[in-house]
Amino acid sequence: MSFRVCGRLNPAANRVLIMILRVANAADAQYVETLCQWYAESAKTRGVGIAKRDPNYLIKKMEKGDAIIAFIDDQLAGFCYIETFEDAKFVVNSGLIVNTELRKEGLGRAIKHRVFELSRTKYPAAKIFGITTSAAVMKINNELGYRPVTFPELTQSDDFWKGCSSCKNYGILMENQRKMCLCTGMVYDNLDDSFTQQSIEILSQEGQKA
């Protein structure tokens, strides 16, 4: 199991906060109800986005190791998961959510970086993409090496675009034949980076052991 432990000084509390980022597993199903509640509350507050997540779907992501879960001082702090489309030709990091009480601790950025690393390591041949209206998310994506693209350069999988159906802007998307909306599309397609080389080395070692 892969852990990332960070210590951050919280001036207000005058102490160091211990942040743990790790790959989620089946035992984390105990947190799904809380996560689904956070998703619903976040969508209601923002007025856009996807309001609901299927608890069973999140559990499957945990069981498959396709998610990052975060804790601060043993308190559930955040979550994000990976989705694949077109036989893993495209990957998207979905459902980034952070405990509203902990949003000033740089947790969202840390989770985005960690799930990006997981995506590149598990799916080194896939392009990572996303659509968002959030300036903060776009800034983090830019840091990671994403570039803005038009919607036709993203996956054309119906399964992905159906996920937009609960967004209040879905009508705009469909009126434009899924070619544009209020979201900005971004893609990471540098498929010859350090994560690709790392994955090749890992697979090679596993092959030698077999």
Side-chain angles (χ1 to χ4, degrees):
M1 184 180 297
S2 177
F3 286 83
R4 185 71 53 80
V5 181
C6 308
R8 293 178 181 271
L9 177 64
N10 185 327
N14 194 29
R15 64 187 180 90
V16 174
L17 298 176
I18 303 302
M19 180 187 301
I20 295 177
L21 303 167
R22 63 170 173 79
V23 178
N25 57 61
D28 294 316
Q30 62 182 304
Y31 303 112
V32 165
E33 184 177 342
T34 299
L35 291 171
C36 287
Q37 182 179 348
W38 287 358
Y39 285 127
E41 292 173 350
S42 176
K44 184 177 180 180
T45 299
R46 292 182 292 115
V48 297
I50 303 165
K52 296 181 180 179
R53 293 299 198 283
D54 182 349
N56 292 325
Y57 185 73
L58 297 186
I59 290 173
K60 289 180 181 179
K61 291 297 176 183
M62 293 173 174
E63 292 174 342
K64 192 177 179 182
D66 272 355
I68 294 295
I69 194 165
F71 299 86
I72 290 183
D73 289 348
D74 295 325
Q75 178 183 1
L76 179 63
F79 185 74
C80 189
Y81 59 87
I82 297 171
E83 293 181 295
T84 63
F85 300 95
E86 298 182 36
D87 295 323
K89 180 181 177 181
F90 289 92
V91 166
V92 64
N93 300 153
S94 297
L96 174 64
I97 193 73
V98 173
N99 187 333
T100 55
E101 298 177 0
L102 302 170
R103 284 183 176 171
K104 294 182 180 181
E105 305 301 335
L107 185 58
R109 173 177 273 101
I111 294 173
K112 280 281 290 181
H113 278 256
R114 188 67 182 88
V115 78
F116 173 83
E117 293 174 3
L118 180 63
S119 300
R120 291 298 300 127
T121 302
K122 288 198 69 174
Y123 304 100
K127 297 179 180 180
I128 307 178
F129 75 99
I131 59 174
T132 183
T133 57
S134 168
V137 171
M138 283 187 271
K139 181 178 180 181
I140 297 171
N141 284 348
N142 185 64
E143 292 173 0
L144 291 168
Y146 286 66
R147 60 185 179 86
V149 296
T150 60
F151 280 17
E153 295 178 68
L154 307 177
T155 181
Q156 296 306 302
S157 169
D158 291 337
D159 288 338
F160 172 75
W161 295 104
K162 285 177 183 177
C164 296
S165 61
S166 61
C167 176
K168 72 174 185 179
N169 298 321
Y170 187 64
I172 298 174
L173 176 69
M174 298 310 292
E175 286 174 5
N176 288 285
Q177 300 178 321
R178 302 195 317 205
K179 294 181 179 179
M180 63 176 294
C181 193
L182 300 187
C183 281
T184 296
M186 303 188 76
V187 164
Y188 181 92
D189 56 3
N190 177 12
L191 304 185
D192 191 28
D193 59 11
S194 60
F195 296 105
T196 302
Q197 299 306 316
Q198 177 185 342
S199 299
I200 292 173
E201 292 175 5
I202 292 173
L203 291 172
S204 176
Q205 293 171 3
E206 290 178 348
Q208 291 174 4
K209 292 178 181 178

